[in-house]
Amino acid sequence: LGQVLERLGERDLARDRYRVSLRLDPRHADAAEASERLRALGPAAPVAGPLPDLSGFEVTLLPFDAKDAELLALAVPKAQKALGLSFRVAQPATLLSPERVLRPGQYDASALLDAVVRHQETLKPAPACLVAVTSADIATNDTNYLFAQSRGSRRAAVVSYARFRGANATATARRLSIQLSCSIGRSLGISSCSDPGCVMAYPGSLEQFDKKQGTSCASCARLLAAYVLEIQGKLQEAARLLEAHVLAMPEDEYAGKRLEALRQRLDRK
């Protein structure tokens, strides 16, 4: 179906069908073809119809030291352009401590995220979304390393750029901006995307990470707008965008459940 739609010139609809193929059975032989077609199609076109202005939603970034803050100054404009959100860089907070070391040279991502959430409660006004940034390498007991870890229930995340260091600060900042965009989306409730070029794609390596285009695909852009509007209390607009997403991607069970909960809130109102 994706290939037929692509031949008919319906490129965005074809992308959606290729993503369905990847999500339903990523090990199937046709999944490799779907992945290749997604790469060949390139970044998705903007969602039909203008998305709402999201600049009123502010994300707070928390550097652990001055060097983190310097790199954020380079990365934030790219993330701002990709997501359309506003950003504020808070004063550095020293949350790295010996009791949060997991193994030599690595910190426990879960323990650091716990510390970030506790710090979140001390900030006034309370951040709508808080993402901590560190140069320290992070991992968990069952992973060798992580680029980031998020907690949707608290809209918080911790990002490490230890493995993002490139030939220069500009290259490192580009990778950091992509991971910031991904972690913000994850902390708001967006799951991994099967489009390898989307910022929400799950990379198994730095090589796969560098295939990301630095922007969201049409589906993830629509979801981001819906979830931000929901947080802002604009329930009707959020429901409209979620309905469009669920119609296009019926296999996204989480979005379907969130839409149903949103409809119930609207019914009560």
Side-chain angles (χ1 to χ4, degrees):
L1 180 57
Q3 289 174 329
V4 169
L5 288 166
E6 188 178 346
R7 286 174 179 266
L8 291 172
E10 298 289 349
R11 296 166 65 88
D12 287 338
L13 289 175
R15 284 187 186 88
D16 284 342
R17 295 306 94 196
Y18 291 144
R19 293 189 196 104
V20 170
S21 298
L22 288 170
R23 283 175 172 163
L24 290 180
D25 191 353
R27 295 168 297 178
H28 192 276
D30 285 343
E33 176 66 20
S35 182
E36 285 301 315
R37 293 311 312 146
L38 278 170
R39 290 193 183 94
L41 283 169
V47 182
L51 284 174
D53 181 9
L54 304 180
S55 60
F57 186 84
E58 185 178 77
V59 176
T60 301
L61 302 176
L62 180 68
F64 281 5
D65 59 34
K67 288 185 178 179
D68 301 336
E70 290 175 6
L71 189 60
L72 279 172
L74 297 174
V76 164
K78 296 180 177 64
Q80 194 165 16
K81 182 178 180 181
L83 300 181
L85 307 176
S86 295
F87 289 84
R88 179 178 72 88
V89 179
Q91 289 297 315
T94 306
L95 299 181
L96 299 175
S97 57
E99 66 270 16
R100 296 180 185 129
V101 172
L102 178 67
R103 55 180 76 104
Q106 284 187 317
Y107 284 84
D108 187 323
S110 298
L112 277 180
L113 188 51
D114 287 341
V116 170
V117 168
R118 287 194 295 271
H119 187 78
Q120 184 180 30
E121 296 169 353
T122 69
L123 297 176
K124 303 296 180 185
C129 178
L130 179 66
V131 180
V133 176
T134 178
S135 61
D137 202 20
I138 62 175
T140 55
N141 284 320
D142 56 351
T143 61
N144 292 323
Y145 66 89
L146 290 173
F147 295 143
Q149 189 169 66
S150 304
R151 188 168 300 170
S153 62
R154 300 304 297 267
R155 299 204 293 268
V158 59
V159 172
S160 166
Y161 60 90
R163 296 174 185 265
F164 291 161
R165 292 188 175 94
N168 51 55
T170 301
T172 305
R174 178 189 176 276
R175 288 171 172 168
L176 177 58
S177 70
I178 292 173
Q179 186 58 55
L180 286 175
S181 299
C182 179
S183 294
I184 291 165
R186 196 83 74 239
S187 67
L188 295 180
I190 304 175
S191 56
S192 295
C193 181
S194 54
D195 184 338
C198 177
V199 292
M200 296 306 302
Y202 177 80
S205 65
L206 192 58
E207 181 183 8
Q208 292 178 9
F209 186 96
D210 284 337
K211 292 179 180 178
K212 295 188 181 189
Q213 303 295 322
T215 57
S216 299
C217 69
S219 293
C220 290
R222 187 165 48 206
L223 275 182
L224 177 69
Y227 293 162
V228 167
L229 289 171
E230 184 183 359
I231 292 167
Q232 293 176 327
K234 300 174 183 178
L235 305 187
Q236 290 281 6
E237 295 176 66
R240 178 180 60 81
L241 288 171
L242 267 181
E243 285 169 356
H245 173 78
V246 172
L247 282 172
M249 307 288 288
E251 73 282 358
D252 190 339
E253 295 181 2
Y254 177 77
K257 291 177 180 177
R258 196 151 171 176
L259 174 59
E260 183 59 32
L262 189 53
R263 284 171 172 164
Q264 291 175 4
R265 289 178 63 188
L266 286 166
D267 288 344
R268 287 196 296 270
K269 292 187 71 174

